[in-house]
Amino acid sequence: MEGHTVDEAGAPVEGVSLRLVRAEAGHPGPPVSTARSGADGAFTLEAPEPGPCSLRAGRGPGHHGLLGGALFPAGPPGGPLPGAEVVAQPDEGPAPLFPLRRVELASGGRVTLEFTEQIAGASVEVLVPERNIEVHLFPGDLPLMDRRFRPWWSSPGMLSCPSMASIRLAITGLGLVSTIGNDVVSACASLRAGITRPAPLDFQVASSEDLSVEAVMGHPMVGVTDGFTGLGLYVHLASLALQDLLAYGRLDARDVRFWRDTALFVGTSPVRDEEQEDFQQLLDEHLCAELVRRAGLDIPPENRRRIALGHASVLSAANEAAEAVARGRVRRALVLGVDSLVGEDELLWLASLRRLKTPEHAVGLMPGEAAAAILLESETEARLRQATPAGLLTAVTTGAGESELGSRARIAQQGLHLSRVIEETASRATRIHAVYGDLNGEEARAREWGMALVRLSQMTQYRGAREYWPATCMGDTGAASGAIAMALACRNFIRNPASGDTALIWSRADSGVVASALVSRA
């Protein structure tokens, strides 16, 4: 697309910023092409593929409209540019104090602006719809033209900008199946009451004192998963959690239009040993497809994804879901976590690493199994269909750390990394009333949390926060733990008005991936 920018008198306008914006799901999406007009007002924009677009032009961020209401094709002016759409009123605004600068940051990264002179009464605007951060410094107080622009006020010196935009997604569906409840309401009530139902597993360990053998205790779903193994077990558990979510959210599985605009993220654990690689491939190929088929949901294959990050799967999936919703690829996201640590292969692997809790090893974990699901969508979508949110997801942070739970030096380093990820999330809340974490009985994980507490205790937001550890009642539920914590936080908001307004959730995977999130009262 070639054309010229002119003023009302038809004279060329130089230095106009132009953006070709793709329309996604009926809303303006990210720019697919940008340009700046030359001295003769000429510009060229290239779209990577055909599709509905709108053309924006302006002088500064948030002030993109049609300058003078006229854009003409290349050559002699002969009328308005075909297909152009007026998306804002003309408003040039003040010129920026320094040119546009673009950076791309990984999650947890920071960008710092060093000011070389004092600037009185300046404002900073940061555009973060795609995590490609655009930073502008302007004189005076600029009105925000779009909710995607976030202002940071600066005094002379240094400005730090988080790499991830604040998110705000409504949690409109909850589902949970576990040893202490076959639905999310009863399971969370059991968790609040401290109810637990451990049972002996079909796995024995020998005693070094009298050479006797004793069964390892865990949290199997007796009567629910009996006879299920492998892919069938995962599909069965996930289907039960999904059916509970449909009932809790009063959703119709036959609503084709609703589910075609929905993404599915299924969190599981990664390969625990080399012998399970074939099983992981089986999950990749069939888990999402079988789950959708059994539930009767019309979710397109391109909107389905399995995330194998263990305990951090659900929060990492929530991060990707927030990005997909923000970009307009989907209207909502169904995030589900499912895992079982009570199978023979899993128990052999845990026993080989001395991670099981036994009569002779009291600081190990008790294996469990569960599945939990949450439905995330924008507050606007929730209001349009008159859904009642159980809570709001307002921030997610992820990061990679040490993969081994070994030496004290590694534990200290991982504890420091855990605290940094949590601090990044907690900094976006004025007060944290409750913390839901991944402590599972292992000494290394407790030491990591203790290291993190040394730093977190200095944060004013964290002081006085209540701590909840779902594994004390349900055992280690692996990839389902993040969704369980989010469901429990939402149900506590609903059932206990005095539980505060903000909860922090953190997860730590065996691979070293750490994730944390903020859930607020709706």
Side-chain angles (χ1 to χ4, degrees):
M1 179 183 294
E2 296 180 344
H4 288 78
T5 57
V6 298
D7 58 18
E8 294 180 353
V13 180
E14 181 183 2
V16 177
S17 172
L18 299 108
R19 296 184 180 190
L20 193 63
V21 180
R22 176 77 68 200
E24 297 181 354
H27 303 283
V32 297
S33 181
T34 60
R36 190 172 292 275
S37 61
D40 58 351
F43 66 89
T44 301
L45 292 167
E46 296 183 0
E49 58 185 11
C53 294
S54 61
L55 186 62
R56 297 188 178 198
R59 292 281 194 179
H63 296 75
H64 285 77
L66 285 176
L67 290 181
L71 286 170
F72 295 96
L81 186 68
E85 175 188 351
V86 178
V87 294
Q89 293 299 319
D91 186 355
E92 295 187 9
L97 294 176
F98 64 80
L100 169 67
R101 302 177 186 182
R102 174 177 286 245
V103 294
E104 294 191 15
L105 297 178
S107 179
R110 288 180 176 272
V111 60
T112 300
L113 302 180
E114 296 285 355
F115 296 128
T116 57
E117 59 180 330
Q118 290 193 358
I119 304 170
S123 62
V124 175
E125 289 187 328
V126 181
L127 176 63
V128 283
E130 305 176 70
R131 289 197 195 171
N132 295 330
I133 299 177
E134 299 180 10
V135 183
H136 307 258
L137 182 65
F138 283 85
D141 183 3
L142 294 180
L144 297 182
M145 302 294 291
D146 193 304
R147 63 182 178 84
R148 295 173 297 173
F149 288 86
R150 309 295 183 196
W152 275 270
W153 295 98
S154 171
S155 58
M158 182 181 297
L159 170 74
S160 293
C161 167
S163 65
M164 184 188 69
S166 298
I167 62 177
R168 192 174 177 87
L169 295 179
I171 303 173
T172 54
L174 301 172
L176 174 59
V177 57
S178 68
T179 58
I180 55 175
N182 292 332
D183 60 82
V184 65
V185 174
S186 60
C188 290
S190 299
L191 281 168
R192 289 193 300 271
I195 296 174
T196 182
R197 296 179 60 193
L201 302 174
D202 190 16
F203 189 83
Q204 295 179 329
V205 293
S207 172
S208 60
E209 295 182 357
D210 52 8
L211 300 181
S212 61
V213 293
E214 296 187 32
V216 173
M217 299 296 290
H219 294 263
M221 296 183 61
V222 179
V224 177
T225 59
D226 296 346
F228 288 90
T229 60
L231 175 63
L233 172 63
Y234 277 65
V235 172
H236 179 57
L237 280 174
S239 297
L240 292 175
L242 182 52
Q243 291 299 328
D244 184 39
L245 180 142
L246 294 176
Y248 185 94
R250 299 179 181 178
L251 302 172
D252 185 1
R254 298 168 296 180
D255 189 343
V256 176
R257 186 175 181 182
F258 182 91
W259 296 109
R260 278 195 172 275
D261 286 332
T262 303
L264 172 64
F265 296 88
V266 180
T268 65
S269 288
V271 175
R272 293 188 172 100
D273 56 53
E274 296 180 356
E275 296 180 356
Q276 289 188 331
E277 290 184 358
D278 292 340
F279 175 57
Q280 291 295 316
Q281 184 177 357
L282 192 66
L283 292 179
D284 281 332
E285 295 175 355
H286 299 290
L287 178 57
C288 292
E290 283 298 315
L291 180 59
V292 169
R293 184 191 64 81
R294 178 174 292 195
L297 307 180
D298 195 9
I299 299 178
E302 62 271 17
N303 289 350
R304 309 169 193 166
R305 172 164 155 74
R306 185 176 79 95
I307 298 179
L309 290 176
H311 295 76
S313 295
V314 168
L315 296 188
S316 298
N319 196 20
E320 293 191 22
E323 185 174 354
V325 173
R327 291 188 177 187
R329 294 200 298 264
V330 294
R331 293 182 181 272
R332 63 195 61 85
L334 176 58
V335 180
L336 192 148
V338 57
D339 212 343
S340 175
L341 278 70
V342 300
E344 182 179 0
D345 292 339
E346 289 76 18
L347 292 174
L348 283 171
W349 178 74
L350 291 170
S352 67
L353 298 176
R354 293 183 57 82
R355 296 181 61 183
L356 288 175
K357 180 179 181 180
T358 65
E360 293 188 343
H361 191 238
V363 293
L365 64 84
M366 294 181 69
E369 57 183 354
I374 58 174
L375 183 66
L376 300 172
E377 57 187 321
S378 68
E379 290 183 284
T380 301
E381 288 293 332
R383 283 193 296 267
L384 287 175
R385 64 183 192 88
Q386 298 181 341
T388 302
L392 298 173
L393 179 65
T394 56
V396 181
T397 308
T398 61
E402 293 289 337
S403 60
E404 298 182 16
L405 292 169
S407 66
R408 294 195 175 187
R410 279 202 182 100
I411 291 173
Q413 185 176 359
Q414 183 65 22
L416 180 62
H417 177 64
L418 174 63
S419 67
R420 287 172 176 168
V421 171
I422 294 177
E423 285 173 356
E424 177 71 18
T425 304
S427 64
R428 301 172 195 181
T430 56
R431 175 74 185 279
I432 295 173
H433 300 91
V435 175
Y436 299 81
D438 240 357
L439 290 189
N440 61 356
E442 293 186 274
E443 181 180 2
R445 192 160 296 198
R447 286 183 179 275
E448 289 177 4
W449 175 241
M451 294 286 183
L453 273 180
V454 174
R455 291 171 57 96
L456 295 176
S457 60
Q458 302 174 12
M459 299 184 65
T460 56
Q461 300 100 313
Y462 188 83
R463 293 173 186 171
R466 294 181 296 276
E467 298 177 350
Y468 297 88
W469 316 111
T472 58
C473 295
M474 307 170 68
D476 192 325
T477 52
S481 60
I484 291 173
M486 293 181 70
L488 179 58
C490 291
R491 289 300 302 172
N492 280 349
F493 289 146
I494 295 172
R495 297 296 298 172
N496 184 9
S499 61
D501 297 327
T502 306
L504 185 143
I505 299 166
W506 65 267
S507 299
R508 198 279 197 206
D510 293 336
S511 62
V513 177
V514 177
S516 61
L518 281 181
V519 177
S520 303
R521 186 186 298 273

